[in-house]
Amino acid sequence: MFRCRAGLARALRPPPRGRAHAVLQCHQLRCPSRSLTSSGVPGKAGSNLLLYLIVGGTVTGTGVYAYKTIQESKERYASRLAMTARQSQGQESSASGAAPQGTAAPVTPIKVPSHVPFLLIGGGTAAFAAARSIRARDPGARVLIVSEDPALPYMRPPLSKELWFSDDPNVTETLRFKQWNGKERSIYFQPPSFYVPVEDLPCVENGGVAVLPGKKVVHMDVRGNTVKLNDGTQISYDKCLIATGGSPRNLPAIERAGKEVQKRLTLFRKIEDFQRLEKISREVKSITIIGGGFLGSELACALGRRARTRGLEVIQLFPENGNMGKVLPEYLSNWTTEKVRREGVNVLPNAVVKSVSVCGNRLLIQLKDGRKVETDHIVAAVGLEPNVELAKSAGLEVDSDFGGFRVNAELQARSNIWVAGDAACFYDIKLGRRRVEHHDHAVVSGRLAGENMTGAAKPYWHQSMFWSDLGPNVGYEAIGLVDSSLPTVGVFAKATAKDTPKCATELSGTGIRSESETEAEASEVQISQSSSPMPQVPKQGEDYGKGVIFYLRDKVVVGIVLWNIFNRMPIARKIIKDGEEHEDLNEVAKLFNIHED
């Protein structure tokens, strides 16, 4: 034990005036090791006591701080688990017949923030792409997606493609599908745990993306930077994206038909439409699809598969001469029509609906040429109407020719308001003002809008592509203006076993082909003489295995369809961007290696 001759009172006594302070000495003090010595002022017992008090206080304070920090970390961790549990409740309850995975169905009312830095109106592909882009450029950003849809953001293409070819009897609940290459995935972009609870968005560490489902923005005050929801909630914002998409059109003849006909009608667009139609296809004997475009032809082929296995009658009718008649040249449209017929579909071209009525237990479709069609259920796939209701309250311009919100080259409608996806009418620097209704455009325009919302100030130059698959063996990709009213030149070659959508997904790893195409563009296109066989312009009745169709305006290529040719879109994009006249399109077709084995 350490001993010091000076007592405590003596140690603390102030030194006498006029004398130098005497150094206290502890003659019997022995330090067991140099590591225990103090660099402070030496003293006797009082000094050691002060040292002990200081060290003890420091240790105690450190312990309290550490305990408090650990407790706060536990609380944050528990909060995160609770957040994940709340958002995953749809997934967990799906087995008991409740909402499927991805459906955000809160049990208690959500406390909506009164202000968000980034407000995205609409919960589709464009909004999700914008949210991801905003977070990539600003990792601390707080983004709120207000979606009229009850589900979390998901991709629409599989609803009319791969989901119908699934062998899973519970596919309408799981919403998981196998791509043509056999890989399985969900239609949801991200699982529920990816998103932040809406009420936590203002305070969650490092920001995040929150989704407010089942709510609609009904009024927009551009000057006050506020919106009002259908339940009266008001939210202010710093920057806003409008990605409201569109609603499926109906036929006037069906709208006039009355409620009984409406009950047996599907306007195909959302998850619930797929779920309902899939169920109906198991219960009825006949389904009629009205429309010969992308959606109508894809659904016809998908349901035609069931026509062979379950005895379902599938009828497709449309006013054009053949399937995809507004897009493909006549010879290829006719070939496509025969392909759809081989899938088990009764195709009726040149059919214009005059009236629809209920006759007994069935629907009676009266055509203008006198033909009659009896069926149990109707699917109307006759186009999309952009959702522009907010234009009136916001004072935003709607394009009179193409529809949609009119925006500039940076997708801006106002200084702090952007528009992306189906609802955007934008200026294409090569092809003029346009409005595009395809997945790839939603991805690219949403991404660009998100970048510009964080200060990028980039113009929209990308030529978006789109694709359609008539099953796993026939598919095509297109870019630019593909309108059958334009002059076309088609160059074809014999297909191989590798020239199918199934093989294309095996190479790219995804059936959502815009995910692999992104914004790629060939750096250089050189057109020269080649020793490869000279491609031939197609003749009527040919089996069009694979080929390239060029769409011309003033002798310049403005659109390209790649028929059973995949992973060549960067070349097509470059050709359209260059905007040059080509004397021999047969030579241009060789750029796509259509004669590769």
Side-chain angles (χ1 to χ4, degrees):
M1 179 177 177
F2 295 127
R3 293 196 312 235
C4 187
R5 291 177 182 155
L8 176 61
R10 184 175 171 186
L12 297 178
R13 184 183 305 151
R17 289 185 180 179
R19 293 179 55 190
H21 177 50
V23 178
L24 299 179
Q25 297 180 353
C26 297
H27 300 291
Q28 298 181 17
L29 184 61
R30 296 289 185 271
C31 294
S33 69
R34 297 183 65 181
S35 63
L36 294 179
T37 59
S38 170
S39 60
V41 178
K44 295 189 178 181
S47 297
N48 285 296
L49 179 59
L50 286 174
L51 179 63
Y52 298 154
L53 290 174
I54 293 172
V55 173
T58 301
V59 172
T60 303
T62 303
V64 172
Y65 175 78
Y67 175 79
K68 183 178 180 181
T69 301
I70 292 172
Q71 287 299 108
E72 290 176 349
S73 297
K74 288 181 177 179
E75 291 173 2
R76 285 197 299 269
Y77 180 70
S79 175
R80 180 63 180 170
L81 289 179
M83 171 191 73
T84 304
R86 287 198 302 271
Q87 292 191 319
S88 301
Q89 62 181 338
Q91 178 180 357
E92 294 170 353
S93 61
S94 62
S96 61
Q101 178 185 358
T103 301
V107 177
T108 57
I110 298 175
K111 184 179 179 182
V112 181
S114 59
H115 177 81
V116 291
F118 296 95
L119 175 66
L120 313 185
I121 304 174
T125 299
F128 180 79
R132 187 162 53 183
S133 180
I134 291 169
R135 291 279 297 168
R137 287 176 53 87
D138 182 1
R142 304 177 192 278
V143 182
L144 176 63
I145 298 175
V146 178
S147 176
E148 194 174 352
D149 200 307
L152 295 172
Y154 60 91
M155 59 190 77
R156 297 188 192 276
L159 296 179
S160 59
K161 295 182 177 72
E162 293 93 339
L163 283 175
W164 289 97
F165 292 85
S166 173
D167 295 324
D168 182 3
N170 299 316
V171 65
T172 56
E173 296 298 324
T174 64
L175 297 175
R176 297 187 64 84
F177 63 94
K178 285 186 178 180
Q179 300 174 118
W180 302 139
N181 61 1
K183 293 183 179 180
E184 186 177 273
R185 69 177 296 173
S186 169
I187 71 169
Y188 295 101
F189 289 113
Q190 290 290 348
S193 57
F194 170 83
Y195 301 96
V196 172
V198 173
E199 58 268 28
D200 295 344
L201 185 62
C203 56
V204 69
E205 190 176 359
N206 297 325
V209 179
V211 178
L212 181 61
K215 300 294 182 182
K216 183 178 181 179
V217 175
V218 296
H219 187 272
M220 191 170 187
D221 181 359
V222 174
R223 291 186 177 181
N225 292 338
T226 60
V227 299
K228 184 168 72 173
L229 309 185
N230 53 348
D231 62 358
T233 302
Q234 290 193 352
I235 306 172
S236 63
Y237 59 85
D238 294 331
K239 297 179 181 180
C240 178
L241 172 71
I242 300 175
T244 47
S247 300
R249 291 191 182 105
N250 198 356
L251 289 176
I254 297 178
E255 291 177 339
R256 297 191 301 263
K259 293 183 179 179
E260 288 304 314
V261 172
Q262 304 292 334
K263 290 179 181 178
R264 304 185 189 186
L265 169 70
T266 295
L267 299 176
F268 199 90
R269 177 68 172 170
K270 301 180 179 179
I271 287 176
E272 51 263 38
D273 300 325
F274 162 72
Q275 294 170 328
R276 179 170 179 256
L277 186 59
E278 200 280 338
K279 182 175 183 293
I280 289 171
S281 70
R282 297 174 181 272
E283 300 171 345
V284 302
K285 295 181 179 179
S286 173
I287 294 178
T288 296
I289 300 167
I290 301 177
F294 302 104
L295 179 61
S297 298
E298 288 174 359
L299 287 175
C301 286
L303 289 170
R305 181 171 177 257
R306 299 191 174 188
R308 297 193 300 268
T309 59
R310 301 177 187 172
L312 174 69
E313 180 188 35
V314 181
I315 303 168
Q316 184 187 17
L317 57 90
F318 43 79
E320 296 81 27
N321 294 329
N323 286 77
M324 307 300 301
K326 292 183 177 180
V327 174
L328 300 177
E330 185 177 1
Y331 61 86
L332 198 54
S333 173
N334 293 337
W335 185 92
T336 304
T337 301
E338 293 304 315
K339 162 66 178 174
V340 176
R341 282 177 174 148
R342 290 195 298 270
E343 293 294 320
V345 181
N346 180 14
V347 182
L348 303 177
N350 303 303
V352 179
V353 177
K354 180 180 179 181
S355 65
V356 182
S357 59
V358 178
C359 183
N361 293 326
R362 310 199 77 191
L363 295 176
L364 177 64
I365 303 174
Q366 180 78 45
L367 303 181
K368 285 189 176 181
D369 61 4
R371 287 179 291 176
K372 296 180 180 180
V373 176
E374 289 190 4
T375 191
D376 297 317
H377 193 80
I378 293 175
V379 180
V382 292
L384 198 70
E385 192 69 33
N387 294 328
V388 294
E389 295 91 343
L390 288 176
K392 185 175 182 180
S393 62
L396 302 178
E397 183 181 2
V398 175
D399 190 88
S400 58
D401 295 325
F402 300 99
F405 296 95
R406 197 176 177 95
V407 296
N408 64 13
E410 296 177 6
L411 303 180
Q412 279 182 300
R414 291 289 187 274
S415 60
N416 65 336
I417 298 175
W418 289 258
V419 187
D422 299 340
C425 183
F426 62 99
Y427 184 77
D428 187 315
I429 59 176
K430 286 294 180 182
L431 305 177
R433 189 158 289 279
R434 305 173 64 197
R435 190 176 66 82
V436 180
E437 298 174 357
H438 296 294
H439 178 84
D440 181 61
H441 170 70
V443 172
V444 175
S445 63
R447 181 191 305 144
L448 178 64
E451 291 177 357
N452 288 343
M453 291 173 78
T454 52
K458 293 168 59 176
Y460 189 98
W461 62 266
H462 177 75
Q463 286 296 331
S464 61
M465 56 87 71
F466 62 90
W467 78 98
S468 183
D469 295 334
L470 302 178
N473 297 318
V474 176
Y476 57 90
E477 299 177 353
I479 190 171
L481 296 180
V482 286
D483 187 334
S484 59
S485 65
L486 293 171
T488 63
V489 174
V491 182
F492 288 79
K494 186 176 181 179
T496 69
K498 296 187 296 183
D499 300 316
T500 64
K502 182 178 180 180
C503 288
T505 57
E506 289 174 352
L507 291 174
S508 66
T510 176
I512 309 300
R513 292 200 280 276
S514 60
E515 293 182 359
S516 59
E517 296 286 354
T518 61
E519 297 186 26
E521 176 187 305
S523 58
E524 187 176 0
V525 171
Q526 292 184 349
I527 302 171
S528 59
Q529 295 296 326
S530 173
S531 59
S532 61
M534 177 64 70
Q536 299 296 320
V537 176
K539 298 177 181 179
Q540 191 69 29
E542 280 192 18
D543 185 7
Y544 305 106
K546 63 179 178 179
V548 184
I549 303 98
F550 300 99
Y551 294 73
L552 307 176
R553 186 172 66 187
D554 300 328
K555 299 182 180 180
V556 174
V557 176
V558 294
I560 297 175
V561 167
L562 302 181
W563 185 263
N564 269 348
I565 295 177
F566 308 99
N567 303 313
R568 298 286 190 272
M569 193 52 63
I571 299 174
R573 186 170 286 122
K574 176 65 173 174
I575 292 172
I576 293 178
K577 184 179 180 181
D578 288 346
E580 299 175 354
E581 289 189 28
H582 299 283
E583 293 183 1
D584 189 354
L585 289 173
N586 288 328
E587 292 299 325
V588 180
K590 294 177 182 179
L591 295 171
F592 297 93
N593 299 327
I594 65 174
H595 293 282
E596 281 187 347
D597 293 331

